[in-house]
Amino acid sequence: MNYLFFLGRTIDLCTAELEVVLKRFNGELEPSFITNQIAKGSFEKRSAEQLISILGGTQKIAEIVEELSSTQIKEALDVCARKLAEANQGKKAQFAISIIGEDTEIVPEKYIKGELKKYGMSSRFVQGEALGLNAAQFKHNHAEEYFIVKHEDLYLIAKTAGIQDVDDWSKRDFGKPYRDAKRGMLPPKLARMLVNLAIGDKSAEQVTLLDPFCGSGTILMESLLIGTEAVGSDISQEAVLGAGKNLLWLKEQWGLQKEYSLSVQDASHLTQQTLVKRFNAVATEPFLGKQNPTMEAANNILKGLEKMYLGFLKSLGTILPKGSNVAIIVPQLTFGKSVKNMHSLIDRVGSLGYTREKGPFLYTRPQTVVQREIYVLRKI
């Protein structure tokens, strides 16, 4: 089946995640995008609802139900009206409709309402945003959502088949029992993208994922949710105890059966014995430095962090299985137009037995000095 994928704001990172996840399910992403935020692709073995529950960076999936090589937008609108009539016989049709990639004088909702009247049906239009309904609107209005997308010489008619559960994400972000703002708080969706990049095209059930800077356990939580086992460690005993509370809460709230283990240790001195469980993927956000550094201190901060990162990667390399992925965040410091990064660290990973597979992908928020660069390394 062919689908449209509506991506989050960090397009290149969302695309990289989507590509590797689709490969797990015999799918692929087409090289040319519909727009800069909408991709087209295919997959098997999973429903759209199942796939959207795995992805962190894809906001919505719409199934392409028909392709028309027509130059008349009315024909595409007629298809939408007919499908709404077929699906809502004997009841009021609630719908949303968006036209993407073409300007038209036709008001699509008025046209469809008129067509539904011909079927003897009443209807209610739900107003969405530029790219259709947001997750809350879709969930609470119970509307069928259609898109008519002009792509090259075709009209693609797609119906929303899966959308992110905002309440689910919010519950894990704000409802977990242990949070520590001083350590920086990794957004769950970013954590999920890291996990998927670390897993790559493997089946999640074949993976045990390590986070050696686990903090409050956000990466481990997202890893368990998509079916891996998880191993976490941190130099802070308080963090490990907090992560344990969060993971126990997660297993109870979501009814998970997958196992995890936690330990207190320095990531620069990792051993398989102290980690207990063997692992074959790594996703982690090490310490990124002070949250609001001065420009004068930036070079010394990055120099110290590079030493820590090198120590970690060297230690990890002694126990990481060949072919395993490491999805890792490194800091970039931005002061207006002045940018200071750790590209010199990435240039040195080859000497430690890694190759760079993907990245950098920049993940940032407005007005932040400390920004995140995401890389995927592979042990060779």
Side-chain angles (χ1 to χ4, degrees):
M1 299 294 292
N2 293 319
Y3 296 86
L4 299 180
F5 301 90
F6 294 72
L7 305 179
R9 62 183 182 84
T10 313
I11 303 297
D12 54 353
L13 176 60
C14 297
T15 303
E17 180 204 24
L18 180 58
E19 284 177 332
V20 299
V21 172
L22 288 179
K23 285 181 181 178
R24 289 180 212 161
F25 308 120
N26 296 337
E28 62 179 353
L29 199 61
E30 293 191 2
S32 60
F33 272 38
I34 305 297
T35 72
N36 70 336
Q37 202 173 345
I38 303 175
K40 183 184 177 186
S42 62
F43 61 89
E44 301 174 11
K45 298 183 179 180
R46 290 289 191 278
S47 69
E49 287 185 344
Q50 289 172 321
L51 188 63
I52 200 76
S53 72
I54 293 170
L55 292 159
T58 299
Q59 298 176 340
K60 183 186 296 184
I61 300 174
E63 181 183 348
I64 297 175
V65 295
E66 200 155 332
E67 297 185 5
L68 299 178
S69 56
S70 168
T71 56
Q72 297 296 320
I73 188 69
K74 285 185 177 180
E75 290 184 31
L77 288 165
D78 287 340
V79 171
C80 296
R82 186 182 74 246
K83 290 186 176 295
L84 281 165
E86 291 171 353
N88 293 277
Q89 293 181 20
K91 59 181 180 180
K92 187 175 184 177
Q94 300 193 82
F95 72 96
I97 180 77
S98 299
I99 297 176
I100 297 172
E102 181 175 23
D103 293 327
T104 176
E105 294 181 356
I106 297 174
V107 180
E109 61 269 24
K110 289 184 178 180
Y111 184 90
I112 287 180
K113 275 178 169 287
E115 291 302 301
L116 290 174
K117 281 184 179 179
K118 295 178 184 178
Y119 289 99
M121 295 178 61
S122 63
S123 61
R124 172 177 171 263
F125 170 68
V126 181
Q127 179 69 54
E129 301 171 353
L131 292 177
L133 302 179
N134 61 38
Q137 289 175 315
F138 186 83
K139 180 177 180 179
H140 298 300
N141 284 282
H142 306 289
E144 295 177 68
E145 180 176 40
Y146 282 90
F147 294 91
I148 298 173
V149 182
K150 187 66 181 294
H151 180 54
E152 298 174 347
D153 61 343
L154 294 174
Y155 284 116
L156 306 179
I157 302 172
K159 181 182 179 182
T160 297
I163 196 164
Q164 281 190 337
D165 188 333
V166 288
D167 295 333
D168 215 45
W169 289 103
S170 180
K171 181 178 178 180
R172 292 199 300 281
D173 198 4
F174 302 107
K176 59 190 177 186
Y178 175 77
R179 303 176 89 236
D180 185 357
K182 293 180 181 179
R183 294 179 176 274
M185 290 181 288
L186 187 68
K189 289 183 183 181
L190 177 56
R192 177 67 65 85
M193 286 190 274
L194 282 178
V195 168
N196 277 320
L197 289 171
I199 294 172
D201 56 9
K202 297 187 183 81
S203 166
E205 290 73 20
Q206 298 172 332
V207 171
T208 298
L209 183 133
L210 168 69
D211 181 0
F213 297 87
C214 71
S216 63
T218 303
I219 287 175
L220 303 177
M221 292 167 69
E222 297 305 317
S223 180
L224 288 174
L225 278 165
I226 60 173
T228 78
E229 293 193 351
V231 183
S233 65
D234 199 285
I235 199 170
S236 165
Q237 184 175 16
E238 179 189 348
V240 170
L241 290 172
K245 293 178 182 178
N246 287 341
L247 291 168
L248 181 60
W249 170 82
L250 180 83
K251 290 191 71 171
E252 292 173 345
Q253 293 289 316
W254 272 263
L256 303 179
Q257 300 301 317
K258 287 292 182 177
E259 296 300 321
Y260 64 88
S261 66
L262 295 168
S263 60
V264 178
Q265 58 186 294
D266 186 341
S268 297
H269 298 89
L270 297 172
T271 68
Q272 188 59 70
Q273 290 73 23
T274 52
L275 289 172
V276 184
K277 295 177 72 70
R278 293 194 172 274
F279 59 94
N280 57 353
V282 179
T284 193
E285 179 179 71
F287 181 54
L288 302 181
K290 295 180 179 179
Q291 292 185 11
N292 293 292
T294 63
M295 187 173 179
E296 292 72 23
N299 288 334
N300 284 336
I301 289 171
L302 293 180
K303 185 177 179 180
L305 290 174
E306 182 169 329
K307 183 178 179 180
M308 181 198 74
Y309 274 75
L310 285 170
F312 155 60
L313 289 171
K314 183 177 180 180
S315 173
L316 177 67
T318 63
I319 55 175
L320 182 65
K322 177 182 175 182
S324 299
N325 286 345
V326 180
I328 188 169
I329 295 175
V330 301
Q332 173 177 286
L333 306 183
T334 301
F335 305 92
K337 294 182 179 181
S338 179
V339 176
K340 298 182 182 295
N341 54 47
M342 290 177 61
H343 292 177
S344 59
L345 164 73
I346 303 303
D347 292 340
R348 298 174 65 181
V349 299
S351 64
L352 300 176
Y354 302 89
T355 183
R356 187 176 81 185
E357 292 289 298
K358 299 179 187 295
F361 306 117
L362 185 63
Y363 185 95
T364 184
R365 298 289 187 187
Q367 310 303 318
T368 56
V369 174
V370 181
Q371 302 173 346
R372 294 173 166 107
E373 279 195 323
I374 294 97
Y375 291 87
V376 179
L377 311 178
R378 176 166 294 184
K379 184 69 169 60
I380 55 175

